[in-house]
């Protein structure tokens, strides 16, 4: 653990503390007056050698390093990307159709690669990976739980499912087409909010007390899905959870010697924190291998009706032989998307949550990649490109949207490589993996309890990430305690009641009934709405609400970072050649000279007053 002052990394007014390469903590300049601060500043030069970036955002590492680090980012995002199609498969009636599951996995890889390239080249232009989002998962599951889309009982019986039957194919494709249409229409809202610059206006009203219940309620309602998969064999799922926890928490700081080569040292061993980088992947792989051994030795039951059968690795074994070597995903591969008002409104709740989370990811990514804080035009472009990414995901039929991946932002702190060329390599790799469909088939064969064990960890972390946003607010305030508690509890209670009493909410208008059901059964919408409404109507100071602390964390400027134009201007000379007209300064997503507006100056002054009051 090290502490870096302004003279080390250029962060004005703050010290940036990297904890285990994965967590960061902001220390104010007031902390430098504490006992021992002088000694820490003297150690700054030593810490600088250990913590400075090997490559900043605009640097281009050697091609082989780009490939290897791109593979690492791909593997880091692997768990989250694969999890989404596996969760959706039951609600899409695909529980016993692993081949189609593999096609969904390949499709989401392919689209994630396209969206990553768009974001890094034309969007916010930071080294940030794009992938599926759990924010869309909750409203999608709520939409598919409507009586119209509930799966027939026979689809849950493997002996009665004929995956090539036209009846079965139309059954699941009609459901995913409904999801596609809702995502495509809702993504138009995100495109508008991004490219119009409206995101900056919305962020004035969204603070920690809105974000915390919204993100927390993405993970908490998924306990049923996690419990169902883990319950197929609690021993295997507990073992998977144990390995993931062991690697990510207990062994995270234990380096392993890995053979490597360099021109200076030739063949030698380098210490790599593999447990910290790939805890989920290693946990799944080891549990998968143990399941394979137990299957070969017939230690697991072979009767499908017996408890523990789904821990066998040969349950979906034929999917590898059935899957083609190459398959090129294309828009409309499941048919023409359909649109329903209920689905659109539900997905909108996920879009808003995804946008807010992405803005935070942009700032964190800029810090860890050695870039200055992203200007408004870059943030506007980033959100707009994410909207385009969701539009493409809907068109291709991933069953999900796309967003910035926080896990890969953390990986920047581990590798000390902030080059966007690395992420471009990762995006190209994801494109290739999406075309090479055997890869998707391999992940579709993961035993169900292994998936359940991964879900136990993953969903819990998502809920905790939401709660962590409360660090910015004054949680000694009874006002804030009430807002958070009421919002989260309402987000759990109301959807549960609505699911059990749908007949009491029928208005006689089918479309209106569907909108009401989807919104009120989406916990993140209910909790986020109450958090937003109460936080903006109950009297409270900005300091109490956490607004000032939020701005303080996201507002530091950098002195020795790369020039802001080099990082955030449009590529291929578009910004310097075609965005020079005076009228283009009014276009929210066009690069422009950085000028401090009166509103910005007033906000900065308020934050400075807040710092003086606190310190």
């Amino acid at each position: 653990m090290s502490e870096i002052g302004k003279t080390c990394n250029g962060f004005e007014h703050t010290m940036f503390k990297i904890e285990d390469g994965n967590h960061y903590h902001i220390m104010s300049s007031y902390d430098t007056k504490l006992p021992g601060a002088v000694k820490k500043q003297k150690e700054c030069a030593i810490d600088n050698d250990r913590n400075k970036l090997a490559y900043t955002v605009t640097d281009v590492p050697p091609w082989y390093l780009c490939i290897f680090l791109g593979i690492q980012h791909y593997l880091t995002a692997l768990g989250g990307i694969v999890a989404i199609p596996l969760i959706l498969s039951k609600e899409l009636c695909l529980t016993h159709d692993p081949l189609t599951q593999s096609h969904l996995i390949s499709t989401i890889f392919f689209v994630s690669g396209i969206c990553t390239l768009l974001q890094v080249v034309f969007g916010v232009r930071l080294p940030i990976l794009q992938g599926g989002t759990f924010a869309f998962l909750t409203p999608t599951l709520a939409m598919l739980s409507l009586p119209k889309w509930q799966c027939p009982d026979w689809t849950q019986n493997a002996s009665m499912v004929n995956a090539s039957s036209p009846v079965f194919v139309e059954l699941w494709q009609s459901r995913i087409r409904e999801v596609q249409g809702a995502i495509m229409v809702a993504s138009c809202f995100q495109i508008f909010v991004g490219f119009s610059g409206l995101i900056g206006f919305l962020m004035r009203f969204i603070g920690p007390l809105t974000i915390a219940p919204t993100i927390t309620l993405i993970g908490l309602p998924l306990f049923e899905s996690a419990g169902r998969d883990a319950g197929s064999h609690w021993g295997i799922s507990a073992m998977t959870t144990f390995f993931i926890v062991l690697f990510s928490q207990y062994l995270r700081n234990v380096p392993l010697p890995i053979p490597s080569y360099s021109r200076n040292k030739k063949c030698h061993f380098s210490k790599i924190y593999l447990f910290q980088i790939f805890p989920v992947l290693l946990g799944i792989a080891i549990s998968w291998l143990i399941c394979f051994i137990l299957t070969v030795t017939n230690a697991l039951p072979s009767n499908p009706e017996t408890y523990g059968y789904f821990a066998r690795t040969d349950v979906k074994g034929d999917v590898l032989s059935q899957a083609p070597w190459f398959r090129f995903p294309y828009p409309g591969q499941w048919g023409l998307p359909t649109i329903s008002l209920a689905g659109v409104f539900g997905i909108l709740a996920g879009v808003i949550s995804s946008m807010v989370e992405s803005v935070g990811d942009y700032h964190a990514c800029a810090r860890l990649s050695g870039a200055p804080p992203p200007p408004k035009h870059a943030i506007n472009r980033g959100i707009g490109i994410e909207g385009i990414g969701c539009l493409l995901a809907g068109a291709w039929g991933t069953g999900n949207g796309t967003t910035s991946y926080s896990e890969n932002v953390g990986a920047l702190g581990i590798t000390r490589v902030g080059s966007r060329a690395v992420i471009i390599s990762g995006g190209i790799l994801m494109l290739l993996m999406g075309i090479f469909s055997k890869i998707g088939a391999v992940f579709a064969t993961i035993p169900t309890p292994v998936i359940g064990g991964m879900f136990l960890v993953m969903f819990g972390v998502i809920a905790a990430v939401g709660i962590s946003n409360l660090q910015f607010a004054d949680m000694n305030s009874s006002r804030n305690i009430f807002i958070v508690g009421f919002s989260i509890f309402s987000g759990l209670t109301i959807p549960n009641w609505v699911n059990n009493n749908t007949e009491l909410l029928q208005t006689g208008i089918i479309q209106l009934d569907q909108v009401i059901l989807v919104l009120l059964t989406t916990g993140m919408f209910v909790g986020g709405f109450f958090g937003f409404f109460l936080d903006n109507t109950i009297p409270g100071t900005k300091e109490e609400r956490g607004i000032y602390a939020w701005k303080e964390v996201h507002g530091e400027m950098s002195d020795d970072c790369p020039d802001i134009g080099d990082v955030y201007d449009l590529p291929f000379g578009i910004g310097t050649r075609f965005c020079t007209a005076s009228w283009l300064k009014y276009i929210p997503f066009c690069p422009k000279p950085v000028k401090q507006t009166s509103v910005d100056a007033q906000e900065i002054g308020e934050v400075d007053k807040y710092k003086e009051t606190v310190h």
Side-chain angles (χ1 to χ4, degrees), residues 243-537:
F243 282 129
I244 295 176
V245 173
L246 176 68
F247 297 148
S248 65
Q249 304 302 323
Y250 293 99
L251 300 180
R252 61 183 305 172
N253 296 321
V254 178
L256 293 180
I258 304 296
S260 58
Y261 175 83
S262 65
R263 292 181 179 179
N264 296 331
K265 298 182 179 180
K266 302 300 180 181
C267 293
H268 64 285
F269 285 90
S270 299
K271 292 185 177 180
I272 307 295
Y273 293 88
L274 286 181
F275 296 127
Q276 187 181 57
I277 301 172
F278 307 126
V280 175
L281 189 66
L282 290 173
I284 291 176
I286 294 175
S287 297
W288 201 348
L289 178 62
I290 293 175
C291 286
F292 174 75
I293 295 172
L294 295 177
T295 300
V296 172
T297 57
N298 283 322
L300 294 171
S302 57
N303 184 356
E305 303 299 326
T306 306
Y307 176 81
Y309 168 76
F310 289 102
R312 296 181 64 93
T313 56
D314 58 1
V315 173
K316 309 172 185 177
D318 58 345
V319 68
L320 274 174
S321 59
Q322 293 177 2
W325 281 98
F326 298 99
R327 179 181 178 274
F328 194 87
Y330 57 91
Q333 58 185 332
W334 318 128
L336 189 65
T338 57
I339 299 173
S340 69
L341 197 61
V344 172
F345 275 97
I347 298 296
L348 276 176
V351 166
I352 295 172
S353 173
S354 176
M355 287 191 296
V356 172
E357 188 177 4
S358 291
V359 172
D361 287 337
Y362 295 161
H363 285 279
C365 183
R367 287 180 180 176
L368 293 178
S369 61
K376 289 181 179 179
H377 69 81
I379 293 176
N380 293 338
R381 279 203 317 272
I383 296 299
I385 291 294
E386 283 194 19
I388 293 177
C390 289
L391 185 66
L392 296 178
W396 257 265
T398 65
N400 198 251
T402 60
T403 190
S404 300
Y405 255 48
S406 304
E407 296 92 335
N408 293 84
V409 174
L412 296 176
I414 298 171
T415 62
R416 307 295 179 197
V417 175
S419 171
R420 57 187 170 211
V422 169
I423 303 299
I424 291 175
S425 301
I428 294 173
L429 180 67
M430 295 172 78
L431 270 174
L432 297 177
M433 293 300 102
I435 297 173
F436 189 62
S437 59
K438 288 288 187 183
I439 298 293
V442 168
F443 290 112
T445 62
I446 300 176
T448 302
V450 175
I451 297 171
M454 175 184 69
F455 286 169
L456 290 177
V457 177
M458 189 173 294
F459 297 160
V461 170
I462 293 173
V465 166
I467 295 173
S468 69
N469 285 279
L470 297 177
Q471 64 182 299
F472 301 108
D474 180 9
M475 293 313 295
N476 289 319
S477 165
S478 59
R479 169 194 183 274
N480 294 350
I481 290 176
F482 164 74
I483 292 175
V484 173
F486 179 78
S487 300
I488 293 178
F489 197 73
S490 298
L492 294 172
T493 305
I494 294 177
N496 180 69
W497 182 88
V498 172
N499 278 322
N500 295 322
N501 299 275
T502 55
E503 67 282 353
L504 297 179
L505 295 176
Q506 293 179 356
T507 63
I509 304 174
I510 297 177
Q511 292 79 6
L512 181 60
D513 290 345
Q514 291 179 346
V515 171
I516 293 174
L517 283 177
V518 170
L519 291 181
L520 294 185
T521 55
T522 304
M524 58 178 288
F525 169 78
V526 176
F529 170 78
F530 280 124
F532 175 82
F533 177 78
L534 295 174
D535 187 36
N536 284 280
T537 56

Side-chain angles (χ1 to χ4, degrees), residues 12 85 112 151 174 192 204 206 211 220 238-239 241 255 284 286 312 340 352 425 458 481 490 502 508 547 549 551 567:
E12 192 173 17
S112 297
C151 295
S174 62
F192 171 75
R204 293 172 183 258
I206 298 176
I211 296 172
L220 290 183
M239 177 182 64
T241 301
I284 291 176
I286 294 175
R312 296 181 64 93
S340 69
I352 295 172
S425 301
M458 189 173 294
I481 290 176
S490 298
T502 55
I547 302 298
K551 290 179 180 177
V567 178

